[in-house]
Amino acid sequence: MTSTLLTDVATHFRNQGTACGRLGSPLYATLLPRLADDLLDGGPTAAVIAGHETRPESDALSLRLLGTAHRLALAGRAPALAAHLPSCGGGDDVEAAWVALRELLETQRDALRQGLDLAPQTNEVGRSAALLGGLLTVLGRGDVDPRTPVRLYELGTSGGLNLRADHYRYTDDDGAGWGPVDSPVRLSGAWTSVPAGAPDRVHVVERVGGDLNPIDAATDEGALRLMSFVWPDQSARMGRLRGAIDVAHRVPARLERVSALPFIEGIEPRAGSLTVLWHSVMWQYIEPQEAANSAAAIDRIGARATAAAPFLHLAMEPGDRFRHGFPVTGRLWHGAGDDDAVRVLGTAPAHGIPTRWETAQR
């Protein structure tokens, strides 16, 4: 193995550690550089990733490795590591966590290697703040009757947890809220303010998600996989995820194993309902040609929409203002002259909270 390949992998680990630190995970910010050093020193990390050195950085090899270790800890198969992970009820001794992780690399190499084939899928519930808030913003403007039943489609749905966004509780900076007060998912500080004119409820009558590798969050295996990719010291994110998994057990959604284009092509506006397609931080993973074809397919859906059968496309994706957050955009077709206008409704950070709206809210 050339030293250049190992150096590149180590650089990826360090870069990911810096990103994790910036996004609020001191644990991973410490463990990832340690893994990089261990790799270059010929330690057990090198044996675990052997054969995976040529993976592109976009495959997130480092997060696959740590996600697998976290999954073993959550499943009770790595008690020494679990003792130092807040997500497992353990403490937050980072140094002790590193010792336990390195021992795990030595003793459960095969289990860790198997996990490297699983791509990180966190199904970030915080992004519901941006997506559901965007829907409320559009409904609050009165272009569509807010009582209209909603048919909700999500592209890149992972476990489909954001398809249940209307069952979560959101509060703004002033403590005003939206959603069921008894929800196990409480997104505190979700918005700078509740979207202006937001209806008291959204009547979702259909929930459909498309993903290349959907995960059934209502199963033990699916829930464990989703939890494993949440960083162990981010307790608020883990709490949201666990609550959303609870909701998934009682609110059904249909998940389809499908790529972007055929999923979009299967959507058709329907009279008497508002058809909504939304997605968050996934467009960049579609191959360029399929992305272009998918965008054209969305336009074609819009061209078939009418006042009786409106269509709304909502997205939280990197844009021109990526450095300052992810734009939350909305495009509504309902038979009016400005149907093809894309509006920036607000801006959200990577995990969705807090979303700041472009216009004054109530």
Side-chain angles (χ1 to χ4, degrees):
M1 183 57 54
T2 67
S3 59
T4 299
L5 282 176
L6 290 178
T7 299
D8 288 345
V9 174
T11 298
H12 156 59
F13 276 44
R14 296 186 200 281
N15 290 342
Q16 184 63 61
T18 299
C20 289
R22 187 172 63 250
L23 292 172
S25 177
L27 175 65
Y28 278 11
T30 299
L31 293 182
L32 283 161
R34 299 287 181 86
L35 287 168
D37 291 341
D38 187 69
L39 172 64
L40 294 177
D41 290 342
T45 306
V48 170
I49 71 156
H52 296 270
E53 297 90 347
T54 59
R55 281 182 178 269
E57 188 165 348
S58 60
D59 274 5
L61 179 63
S62 60
L63 295 182
R64 291 175 187 239
L65 175 58
L66 285 177
T68 304
H70 190 198
R71 189 155 53 255
L72 293 173
L74 287 165
R77 296 172 58 189
L81 179 60
H84 305 292
L85 301 182
S87 58
C88 301
D92 57 359
D93 187 334
V94 177
E95 294 301 320
W98 165 243
V99 173
L101 175 60
R102 195 176 189 281
E103 180 181 356
L104 189 69
L105 291 165
E106 293 177 328
T107 60
Q108 296 205 45
R109 180 180 65 184
D110 291 343
L112 290 167
R113 283 179 59 79
Q114 289 175 6
L116 298 181
D117 291 329
L118 297 179
Q121 286 181 270
T122 58
N123 204 167
E124 181 52 58
V125 179
R127 290 173 187 157
S128 283
L131 297 171
L132 191 279
L135 175 57
L136 293 178
T137 297
V138 172
L139 292 175
R141 288 176 171 168
D143 292 327
V144 177
D145 187 332
R147 297 168 296 180
T148 303
V150 172
R151 300 166 62 233
L152 183 57
Y153 292 79
E154 183 176 31
L155 185 60
T157 196
S158 189
L161 300 182
N162 290 324
L163 285 169
R164 284 89 167 189
D166 55 311
H167 286 265
Y168 306 157
R169 180 68 178 175
Y170 307 82
T171 56
D172 66 13
D173 289 347
D174 297 322
W178 190 95
V181 295
D182 59 348
S183 174
V185 179
R186 307 188 68 82
L187 303 180
S188 301
W191 306 314
T192 50
S193 56
V194 174
D200 292 335
R201 67 185 296 266
V202 175
H203 184 37
V204 181
V205 295
E206 188 174 2
R207 306 169 198 269
V208 184
D211 198 282
L212 286 174
N213 295 291
I215 296 174
D216 187 351
T219 65
D220 291 343
E221 181 182 355
L224 179 63
R225 183 172 169 187
L226 290 173
M227 288 190 293
S228 71
F229 286 117
V230 173
W231 303 337
D233 53 343
Q234 295 200 319
S235 299
R237 290 180 66 201
M238 184 62 79
R240 294 195 293 263
L241 177 58
R242 286 185 163 129
I245 290 170
D246 180 62
V247 171
H249 279 84
R250 53 186 173 82
V251 179
R254 186 173 84 248
L255 305 185
E256 301 176 352
R257 187 177 300 275
V258 63
S259 61
L261 183 58
F263 179 71
I264 294 169
E265 290 180 328
I267 299 173
E268 186 69 31
R270 181 182 298 170
S273 63
L274 169 62
T275 301
V276 178
L277 169 66
W278 73 24
H279 50 87
S280 58
V281 197
M282 58 75 56
W283 200 263
Q284 67 206 61
Y285 300 112
I286 305 175
E287 292 296 327
Q289 187 57 59
E290 185 175 15
N293 292 339
S294 297
I298 292 173
D299 288 341
R300 289 194 294 272
I301 299 172
R304 297 192 295 272
T306 65
F311 171 62
L312 173 63
H313 176 214
L314 287 168
M316 175 194 155
E317 299 287 352
D320 293 339
R321 293 182 293 176
F322 174 66
R323 292 183 179 179
H324 305 288
F326 294 69
V328 181
T329 58
R331 186 180 180 187
L332 175 68
W333 289 264
H334 59 110
D338 61 348
D339 288 347
D340 59 356
V342 178
R343 297 183 180 181
V344 176
L345 307 175
T347 305
H351 295 150
I353 298 176
T355 299
R356 301 180 178 276
W357 306 115
E358 287 291 302
T359 56
Q361 308 292 330
R362 72 180 185 186

